[in-house]
Protein backbone atom coordinates (compact mmCIF):
# COMPACT_ATOMS: atom_id res chain seq x y z
CA UNK A 1 0.00 0.00 0.00
CA UNK A 2 2.68 2.47 1.09
CA UNK A 3 4.82 1.46 -1.85
CA UNK A 4 1.94 2.10 -4.19
CA UNK A 5 1.49 5.61 -2.82
CA UNK A 6 5.21 6.23 -3.11
CA UNK A 7 5.14 5.07 -6.69
CA UNK A 8 2.15 7.29 -7.44
CA UNK A 9 3.94 10.30 -5.95
CA UNK A 10 7.10 9.52 -7.89
CA UNK A 11 5.10 9.25 -11.08
CA UNK A 12 3.35 12.52 -10.33
CA UNK A 13 6.70 14.26 -9.78
CA UNK A 14 8.16 13.16 -13.11
CA UNK A 15 9.08 16.24 -15.12
CA UNK A 16 8.31 18.50 -12.21
CA UNK A 17 10.78 20.80 -10.56
CA UNK A 18 10.69 19.58 -6.94
CA UNK A 19 12.39 21.07 -3.91
CA UNK A 20 15.29 23.51 -3.96
CA UNK A 21 16.93 25.97 -1.57
CA UNK A 22 14.51 28.74 -2.41
CA UNK A 23 11.52 26.50 -1.68
CA UNK A 24 13.16 25.43 1.56
CA UNK A 25 13.46 29.08 2.48
CA UNK A 26 9.79 29.63 1.57
CA UNK A 27 8.87 26.65 3.73
CA UNK A 28 10.84 28.11 6.59
CA UNK A 29 9.04 31.44 6.13
CA UNK A 30 5.68 29.65 6.20
CA UNK A 31 6.64 27.89 9.39
CA UNK A 32 7.77 31.17 10.97
CA UNK A 33 4.48 32.83 9.97
CA UNK A 34 2.56 29.88 11.39
CA UNK A 35 4.32 30.33 14.73
CA UNK A 36 3.83 34.10 14.68
CA UNK A 37 0.18 33.52 13.78
CA UNK A 38 -0.27 31.54 16.99
CA UNK A 39 0.61 34.61 19.05
CA UNK A 40 -0.64 37.38 16.85
CA UNK A 41 -4.17 37.08 15.56
CA UNK A 42 -4.52 38.73 12.23
CA UNK A 43 -6.03 38.04 8.85
CA UNK A 44 -3.02 39.57 7.12
CA UNK A 45 -0.63 36.94 8.46
CA UNK A 46 -2.95 34.14 7.38
CA UNK A 47 -3.30 35.67 3.94
CA UNK A 48 0.47 36.00 3.51
CA UNK A 49 0.91 32.45 4.77
CA UNK A 50 -1.64 31.17 2.27
CA UNK A 51 -0.03 33.06 -0.60
CA UNK A 52 3.44 31.82 0.37
CA UNK A 53 2.21 28.24 0.65
CA UNK A 54 0.51 28.56 -2.73
CA UNK A 55 3.70 29.88 -4.28
CA UNK A 56 5.74 27.13 -2.61
CA UNK A 57 3.50 24.39 -4.02
CA UNK A 58 3.44 26.08 -7.38
CA UNK A 59 7.25 26.04 -7.49
CA UNK A 60 7.63 22.43 -6.32
CA UNK A 61 5.10 21.08 -8.83
CA UNK A 62 6.06 23.41 -11.64
CA UNK A 63 7.03 21.94 -14.99
CA UNK A 64 8.92 25.04 -16.07
CA UNK A 65 12.20 23.78 -14.66
CA UNK A 66 14.46 26.35 -16.37
CA UNK A 67 12.53 29.25 -14.90
CA UNK A 68 12.41 27.77 -11.39
CA UNK A 69 16.14 27.05 -11.61
CA UNK A 70 16.82 30.69 -12.54
CA UNK A 71 14.73 31.84 -9.56
CA UNK A 72 16.74 29.62 -7.26
CA UNK A 73 20.02 30.98 -8.63
CA UNK A 74 18.80 34.50 -7.95
CA UNK A 75 17.79 33.51 -4.42
CA UNK A 76 21.23 31.98 -3.77
CA UNK A 77 22.85 35.18 -5.02
CA UNK A 78 20.80 37.35 -2.67
CA UNK A 79 21.42 34.93 0.19
CA UNK A 80 25.19 35.13 -0.22
CA UNK A 81 24.99 38.93 -0.34
CA UNK A 82 23.01 39.03 2.90
CA UNK A 83 25.53 36.66 4.50
CA UNK A 84 28.37 38.95 3.41
CA UNK A 85 26.60 41.96 4.89
CA UNK A 86 26.25 40.17 8.22
CA UNK A 87 29.90 39.12 8.37
CA UNK A 88 30.92 42.69 7.53
CA UNK A 89 28.85 44.22 10.32
CA UNK A 90 30.21 41.56 12.68
CA UNK A 91 33.73 42.66 11.75
CA UNK A 92 32.72 46.27 12.41
CA UNK A 93 31.45 45.37 15.88
CA UNK A 94 34.67 43.51 16.71
CA UNK A 95 36.66 46.43 15.41
CA UNK A 96 34.78 48.90 17.63
CA UNK A 97 36.17 47.15 20.70
CA UNK A 98 39.77 47.81 19.72
CA UNK A 99 39.50 50.93 17.60
CA UNK A 100 37.72 54.23 17.67
CA UNK A 101 36.70 56.30 14.70
CA UNK A 102 36.98 60.09 14.99
CA UNK A 103 36.01 62.72 12.52
CA UNK A 104 38.58 65.34 11.63
CA UNK A 105 37.26 68.77 12.79
CA UNK A 106 38.87 70.35 9.74
CA UNK A 107 37.58 68.34 6.80
CA UNK A 108 35.29 65.67 8.26
CA UNK A 109 37.55 62.78 7.22
CA UNK A 110 37.09 59.65 9.33
CA UNK A 111 40.22 58.60 11.22
CA UNK A 112 40.55 55.15 12.78
CA UNK A 113 42.51 55.16 16.05
CA UNK A 114 43.34 52.28 18.43
CA UNK A 115 41.62 52.46 21.81
CA UNK A 116 43.16 52.67 25.26
CA UNK A 117 46.19 54.82 24.48
CA UNK A 118 45.14 57.78 26.63
CA UNK A 119 45.22 61.28 25.20
CA UNK A 120 46.74 61.24 21.76
CA UNK A 121 47.39 63.72 19.04
CA UNK A 122 45.81 62.65 15.79
CA UNK A 123 46.99 63.94 12.47
CA UNK A 124 44.35 63.90 9.78
CA UNK A 125 45.65 61.90 6.82
CA UNK A 126 43.74 64.12 4.41
CA UNK A 127 44.30 67.73 5.47
CA UNK A 128 47.13 67.27 8.00
CA UNK A 129 45.15 69.03 10.74
CA UNK A 130 46.17 67.97 14.23
CA UNK A 131 43.64 67.37 16.97
CA UNK A 132 43.77 65.79 20.41
CA UNK A 133 41.34 63.08 21.52
CA UNK A 134 41.11 60.58 24.33
CA UNK A 135 41.36 57.13 22.81
ZN1 LIG B 1 41.12 66.68 7.96
Amino acid sequence: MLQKIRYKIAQFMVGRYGMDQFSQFLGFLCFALLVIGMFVRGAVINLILLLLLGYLYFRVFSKNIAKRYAENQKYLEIQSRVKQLFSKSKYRLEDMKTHHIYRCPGCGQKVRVPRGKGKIEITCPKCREKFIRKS
Side-chain angles (χ1 to χ4, degrees):
M1 182 63 188
L2 205 71
Q3 222 160 9
K4 211 173 174 186
I5 292 170
R6 249 186 225 156
Y7 177 73
K8 277 251 162 93
I9 290 172
Q11 216 175 23
F12 176 74
M13 286 308 289
V14 168
R16 289 176 201 268
Y17 184 64
M19 208 62 177
D20 64 5
Q21 288 98 333
F22 185 39
S23 289
Q24 269 169 20
F25 174 70
L26 287 174
F28 172 75
L29 265 185
C30 287
F31 179 73
L33 279 174
L34 203 73
V35 173
I36 293 169
M38 282 196 280
F39 298 100
V40 187
R41 295 243 164 259
V44 183
I45 291 175
N46 286 332
L47 188 72
I48 296 170
L49 178 62
L50 218 69
L51 285 173
L52 271 178
L53 262 177
Y55 185 51
L56 173 61
Y57 275 99
F58 161 74
R59 290 196 82 250
V60 170
F61 298 132
S62 172
K63 284 185 170 175
N64 193 343
I65 289 167
K67 207 165 180 187
R68 300 290 87 76
Y69 180 77
E71 282 170 1
N72 192 48
Q73 288 306 108
K74 206 161 215 172
Y75 162 73
L76 288 176
E77 199 187 300
I78 292 168
Q79 192 201 44
S80 80
R81 248 186 249 166
V82 170
K83 267 187 190 161
Q84 241 172 34
L85 214 75
F86 267 104
S87 66
K88 247 188 211 165
S89 59
K90 203 181 159 199
Y91 168 75
R92 269 281 178 92
L93 274 173
E94 287 294 311
D95 193 60
M96 269 172 68
K97 282 180 200 157
T98 54
H99 289 79
H100 205 293
I101 290 171
Y102 291 108
R103 246 178 218 285
C104 165
C107 67
Q109 166 76 31
K110 281 182 189 167
V111 188
R112 190 167 158 269
V113 181
R115 278 182 188 274
K117 297 262 188 278
K119 264 193 181 173
I120 49 167
E121 191 187 61
I122 301 160
T123 308
C124 172
K126 205 170 162 192
C127 68
R128 297 279 144 211
E129 178 156 325
K130 287 181 163 65
F131 54 102
I132 292 165
R133 290 282 185 278
K134 242 182 91 180
S135 66

